[in-house]
Amino acid sequence: MPPEMSPTQLQAWRALYRADTLLFTHIENTLRTRLKMSYFEHEVLRALDGAGGRMRMAPLAAELMISRSGATRLIGKLEDKDGWVVRRNTPEDRRATWAELTDDGRKALDAARPVVEAVVATFFADHVSNADLHASSRILNVLADANPNDEGFDCGL
């Protein structure tokens, strides 16, 4: 059985959970209200844009930290919803499905950028010094690296 958490560890975990939940709620609610877009939909558009406008489904799922079937459902929703994304197969590899950002998807992402940036600034970045932001990034990357996104992870229970 894993050792019991110290009060400091539990306090840090609860602070991280609270801050993450509040920030996510602000971003989600603001994107939905202003742009009829969920934060996960925004993340799909952002990931595709960052990859030059297209990605295979498996790497996209890994980037989003969701299952392949979850990525497929999300891409299908974005295809049907507003045509922000299209799925394509290539003649070179008919088994591979690519998700491609459309012009309408780029416009939606461009509209979302200032909304996300305003929420992140207002509820996060404006309250923390650059030194603390660097330290937070370092700490959160250590945590992310220690927690693989695969089904083989076991916490010892």
Side-chain angles (χ1 to χ4, degrees), residues 43-56 59-60 63 98-101 106 109 113:
E43 283 299 290
V44 169
L45 301 178
R46 183 203 52 78
L48 292 173
D49 186 57
R54 69 191 294 248
M55 287 180 83
R56 287 180 61 163
L60 178 62
E63 169 81 12
W98 293 77
E100 291 184 9
L101 188 61
R106 258 185 235 295
L109 181 61
R113 276 191 182 108

Side-chain angles (χ1 to χ4, degrees), residues 65-109:
M65 295 183 290
I66 60 176
S67 68
R68 287 183 192 184
S69 62
T72 299
R73 282 191 303 275
L74 197 48
I75 292 300
K77 182 179 176 187
L78 290 174
E79 254 185 325
D80 295 340
K81 181 179 179 178
D82 292 305
W84 291 345
V85 175
V86 294
R87 280 185 272 201
R88 301 214 191 276
N89 295 87
T90 60
E92 303 85 42
D93 185 357
R94 293 182 193 191
R95 295 175 297 149
T97 301
W98 293 77
E100 291 184 9
L101 188 61
T102 65
D103 288 341
D104 286 341
R106 258 185 235 295
K107 289 176 188 168
L109 181 61

Side-chain angles (χ1 to χ4, degrees), residues 143-157:
L143 292 174
D145 292 344
N147 290 280
N149 184 31
D150 63 29
E151 296 181 26
F153 184 73
D154 180 7
C155 66
L157 295 177

Side-chain angles (χ1 to χ4, degrees), residues 1-154:
M1 177 159 253
E4 193 170 306
M5 291 177 68
S6 73
T8 301
Q9 290 170 325
L10 192 55
Q11 180 182 14
W13 161 246
R14 286 187 174 145
L16 173 63
Y17 176 76
R18 181 171 172 251
D20 176 67
T21 300
L22 290 169
L23 184 58
F24 177 80
T25 299
H26 286 305
I27 290 174
E28 179 76 10
N29 290 344
T30 306
L31 282 172
R32 284 192 184 279
T33 300
R34 294 186 179 266
L35 301 170
K36 307 295 185 250
M37 175 190 299
S38 75
Y39 183 68
F40 289 115
E41 292 168 345
H42 167 268
E43 283 299 290
V44 169
L45 301 178
R46 183 203 52 78
L48 292 173
D49 186 57
R54 69 191 294 248
M55 287 180 83
R56 287 180 61 163
M57 295 300 282
L60 178 62
E63 169 81 12
L64 299 172
M65 295 183 290
I66 60 176
S67 68
R68 287 183 192 184
S69 62
T72 299
R73 282 191 303 275
L74 197 48
I75 292 300
K77 182 179 176 187
L78 290 174
E79 254 185 325
D80 295 340
K81 181 179 179 178
D82 292 305
W84 291 345
V85 175
V86 294
R87 280 185 272 201
R88 301 214 191 276
N89 295 87
T90 60
E92 303 85 42
D93 185 357
R94 293 182 193 191
R95 295 175 297 149
T97 301
W98 293 77
E100 291 184 9
L101 188 61
T102 65
D103 288 341
D104 286 341
R106 258 185 235 295
K107 289 176 188 168
L109 181 61
D110 289 344
R113 276 191 182 108
V115 173
V116 171
E117 289 175 7
V119 171
V120 171
T122 301
F123 296 104
F124 176 68
D126 289 351
H127 303 281
V128 183
S129 71
N130 279 340
D132 285 344
L133 288 171
H134 286 294
S136 297
S137 294
R138 183 184 53 75
I139 291 166
L140 293 172
N141 282 323
V142 166
L143 292 174
D145 292 344
N147 290 280
N149 184 31
D150 63 29
E151 296 181 26
F153 184 73
D154 180 7

